[in-house]
Amino acid sequence: MPETKQAVVIASDHAGFQLKVELKQQLEALGFEALDLGTDSVGSVDYPDFADRLAAAIKEGRASKGVLVCGTGIGISMAANRHRHLRAAVVHDATTARLTRQHNDANVLCMGARITGADVAKDCLRVFLTTDFEGGRHENRVAKLGR
Ligand code: RB5
């Protein structure tokens, strides 16, 4: 029987479109199913709409983790964090990607295509998806984020 691939949702605005294409390839190379929620071109769009799409997909249970890309990673993370069930972290390197999983139990990885090069972004993605939450002293703090 073929193993079911774990799904990861991914979305971006126009500024993040090209990096999203590369990150989708990386997801597939790592053995995940990439559920692409757009945008589909470099035509101008509004990043909150794509954070909202990703929030809905995670709420529906289509995936437990997501990836968002905009120009800086900042705007789209702000939009994502308006949703209580998301803990979205802007990361810039493998260390921040690892720590936000271990300490914050982040379920959405945000990156800026105008800030972070494709190779570093791919490292961040791999580390984010393969690092577990440490729990322990972080449990109570993370629970407070959902209040
Ligand atoms: C789009 O030009 C840009 O503002 C957006 O991608 C993002 O960087 C916002 O935070």
Side-chain angles (χ1 to χ4, degrees):
M1 283 240 296
E3 269 185 43
T4 313
K5 287 185 179 178
Q6 191 184 330
V8 175
V9 278
I10 184 165
S12 74
D13 72 353
H14 54 289
F17 171 71
Q18 192 53 52
L19 181 58
K20 173 169 68 71
V21 170
E22 298 200 44
L23 293 175
K24 256 176 83 175
Q25 289 169 357
Q26 168 80 339
L27 280 173
E28 281 152 13
L30 291 170
F32 293 89
E33 181 190 2
L35 299 179
D36 187 352
L37 305 177
T39 189
D40 300 320
S41 76
V42 293
S44 184
V45 291
D46 297 332
Y47 55 81
D49 298 336
F50 292 87
D52 289 351
R53 281 189 196 183
L54 183 134
I58 290 182
K59 192 158 233 172
E60 288 161 11
R62 295 178 65 195
S64 59
K65 290 201 182 81
V67 181
L68 289 171
V69 190
C70 69
T72 58
I74 297 171
I76 208 157
S77 70
M78 289 178 168
N81 279 319
R82 298 178 72 83
H83 297 272
R84 272 230 184 126
H85 63 295
L86 300 186
R87 289 176 302 283
V90 189
V91 309
H92 298 100
D93 48 43
T95 304
T96 45
R98 174 173 57 79
L99 286 170
T100 200
R101 284 290 310 130
Q102 291 176 330
H103 290 195
N104 314 124
D105 198 16
N107 55 3
V108 181
L109 178 71
C110 300
M111 291 185 283
R114 294 174 179 159
I115 309 296
T116 305
D119 285 354
V120 173
K122 287 179 193 174
D123 282 347
C124 292
L125 180 59
R126 178 179 44 76
V127 169
F128 182 81
L129 292 172
T130 56
T131 303
D132 291 330
F133 178 47
E134 276 181 6
R137 70 188 192 278
H138 304 294
E139 292 273 5
N140 195 38
R141 298 164 187 168
V142 169
K144 288 183 176 180
L145 293 175
R147 290 185 301 197

